[in-house]
Amino acid sequence: MDKVSQMTDGRVKVGSGTLYNLLEQFLGSGIIIQTKAEGRRRNYVLSEKGKVVLRCEYERLCTQAEDYRKMFL
Amino acid sequence: MSKEKSFKTFREDFAYYDRTGMQEFLEQKASEGWKLVKKQFPAEWEFIRVEPQNLHYAITYLPQISNEDSFLLSENKKEYLELCAASGWQFVCAYKNMVIFLNEKENPLPLETDPEVELASIHKSVLKHSLPKTILAFALFTTMFFYLSFSDTVSKGNEILLAVFAVLSIYTVMDFCGYLRWHKKAIAAAATGEFSRTNTTDKLLSSLFAAVVILITAVVIVKSIVTNNWVTLIVMALIVVAMVLDGFLNKLKNKIECGWEKNLFKFVSVLIYLAAIACGNYIFDLF
């Protein structure tokens, strides 16, 4: 949670309840995969499907930013 | 300080999804020196006397659990509680699939930071836990309404019971429509990153309907006493007994983890109400 805040210069803050629900949701839809569980610590990585979803979202945002540049800059 | 003075149960009714209303109520109680220990029946909150303090409460919904025991026994519980504790949120209790946390920090990071994710959890919880009860209550009340409408019991001066069941049927529908209205508004608010508060008019409407039901019941009791209509009083007593038994079964049901045993308890609850209706009918026929 702290890392998310650091990575985004404090712009994005994720509460523990939201993080837990998102992990459950991402696991359920196959966006992430659990790699190992050491005690209560669990590690997850992006699945191939997750990488595609992330890439699509990045491209969608880039297109929107490009539209903004064309119209207003 | 004696135990009786240390613990106190307050009754305060909220819509199942009214997490902002419940949080404000709990924070108000903390400022008055009452810290939540347990949430019991739908409207009962057990507190312990503490020094007045500014506590922050958060209520989150986990559709995958069904009560406090199932939450405490769940596989990911420890991991989840540790995650919450990392930002200062301490587990207080769970009720149905609602989990209550408190935080003593001055400005804590909220437990839920994404209204869309939170709304999805609330909606799943409502569909899983509240909707079946609403359907069951509506079916019971409308069955009673139509049964009384087409039986000769009306001619025995119990038309007021018709009004009770009509009001209860309308109330259950309006209560659920209130949720749907709020959900629609909450989806729009969540798209802009806001969590929509529960509409206060819904709470007012619920209170109004509750007042009407109490008033009609009081009129039935007074009228029955004045006219020596003990049959109606006996039937009403039967309904109260059924409600008490149902409450007792609910308490037992909350201690059970196994799915089919829970369904058995639900089935027995319905049987109790049907038995009360059948007994009432038998008594009406006798007199």
Side-chain angles (χ1 to χ4, degrees):
Chain A
M1 286 183 292
D2 294 336
K3 204 170 174 183
V4 174
S5 189
Q6 283 166 16
M7 282 161 70
T8 57
D9 295 326
R11 189 177 53 84
V12 178
K13 285 178 180 161
V14 182
S16 32
T18 300
L19 181 63
Y20 182 80
N21 277 324
L22 281 175
L23 286 174
E24 292 276 309
Q25 209 174 302
F26 290 164
L27 262 178
S29 53
I31 289 175
I32 56 170
I33 305 165
Q34 189 179 313
T35 50
K36 59 178 176 178
E38 293 163 355
R40 283 173 216 151
R41 192 185 172 90
R42 284 153 203 262
N43 294 317
Y44 303 93
V45 290
L46 269 178
S47 66
E48 284 309 311
K49 184 186 172 185
K51 283 176 188 166
V52 172
V53 170
L54 189 62
R55 183 82 205 168
C56 287
E57 182 62 10
Y58 169 72
E59 281 166 8
R60 190 184 69 83
L61 292 171
C62 286
T63 312
Q64 283 188 342
E66 189 54 36
D67 289 345
Y68 175 83
R69 265 194 294 275
K70 277 183 207 161
M71 279 189 278
F72 300 106
L73 298 179
Chain B
M1 200 182 279
S2 69
K3 196 185 175 198
E4 288 74 28
K5 282 181 182 172
S6 299
F7 290 89
K8 194 170 178 184
T9 301
F10 291 90
R11 286 190 64 81
E12 187 76 31
D13 201 9
F14 293 96
Y16 183 64
Y17 53 94
D18 186 10
R19 74 120 169 104
T20 45
M22 287 187 264
Q23 280 169 208
E24 281 164 13
F25 163 70
L26 295 173
E27 284 164 8
Q28 172 65 30
K29 284 284 160 219
S31 68
E32 291 167 12
W34 294 103
K35 191 174 173 182
L36 182 70
V37 176
K38 201 170 177 66
K39 176 162 167 54
Q40 292 166 330
F41 284 104
E44 282 186 9
W45 306 81
E46 192 184 328
F47 290 86
I48 186 167
R49 180 52 105 184
V50 291
E51 285 296 312
Q53 53 195 306
N54 288 325
L55 293 177
H56 296 277
Y57 280 91
I59 296 171
T60 190
Y61 296 80
L62 300 176
Q64 61 271 37
I65 65 160
S66 52
N67 56 48
E68 185 165 291
D69 291 341
S70 75
F71 172 66
L72 295 175
L73 291 168
S74 65
E75 208 180 296
N76 299 336
K77 186 251 323 179
K78 281 184 181 170
E79 174 194 329
Y80 178 58
L81 293 184
E82 272 186 12
L83 198 62
C84 296
S87 46
W89 291 103
Q90 305 156 29
F91 171 73
V92 180
C93 62
Y95 176 76
K96 292 183 181 175
N97 53 357
M98 182 194 291
V99 187
I100 305 174
F101 290 89
L102 75 80
N103 201 320
E104 289 172 355
K105 286 183 184 173
E106 207 170 317
N107 288 308
L109 174 69
L111 195 65
E112 301 283 352
T113 47
D114 187 326
E116 284 183 338
V117 175
E118 186 180 7
L119 193 58
S121 298
I122 293 176
H123 193 57
K124 266 189 201 169
S125 303
V126 169
L127 293 184
K128 194 177 166 189
H129 293 278
S130 291
L131 186 59
K133 281 179 188 163
T134 304
I135 292 171
L136 183 67
F138 180 71
L140 269 173
F141 298 143
T142 46
T143 305
M144 281 308 292
F145 177 78
F146 285 111
Y147 174 74
L148 288 174
S149 300
F150 295 107
S151 72
D152 60 349
T153 48
V154 178
S155 62
K156 290 178 182 170
N158 293 299
E159 59 275 83
I160 210 138
L161 275 175
L162 273 174
V164 173
F165 289 115
V167 168
L168 286 171
S169 304
I170 295 166
Y171 171 73
T172 49
V173 172
M174 292 197 76
D175 190 38
F176 194 68
C177 287
Y179 167 73
L180 293 178
R181 259 202 327 273
W182 172 81
H183 184 248
K184 194 179 166 192
K185 209 172 82 180
I187 290 172
T192 60
E194 296 289 325
F195 184 84
S196 181
R197 292 180 57 86
T198 314
N199 197 342
T200 47
T201 53
D202 288 342
K203 209 178 169 188
L204 278 175
L205 194 70
S206 300
S207 308
L208 189 68
F209 269 94
V212 168
V213 171
I214 291 168
L215 189 70
I216 291 173
T217 312
V219 169
V220 172
I221 293 170
V222 171
K223 193 182 167 191
S224 303
I225 293 169
V226 170
T227 58
N228 279 332
N229 185 359
W230 300 109
V231 179
T232 305
L233 288 174
I234 292 167
V235 172
M236 288 181 82
L238 276 173
I239 294 169
V240 172
V241 170
M243 286 166 82
V244 170
L245 277 173
D246 185 40
F248 178 68
L249 278 177
N250 260 324
K251 261 193 159 181
L252 282 179
K253 194 179 80 186
N254 286 341
K255 291 180 180 168
I256 289 168
E257 188 52 32
C258 179
W260 73 266
E261 283 180 354
K262 273 183 180 295
N263 288 333
L264 184 69
F265 270 93
K266 281 179 195 166
F267 180 66
V268 174
S269 286
V270 175
L271 278 185
I272 286 172
Y273 283 106
L274 289 176
I277 293 166
C279 286
N281 183 42
Y282 180 70
I283 293 166
F284 272 124
D285 284 347
L286 272 182
F287 295 93

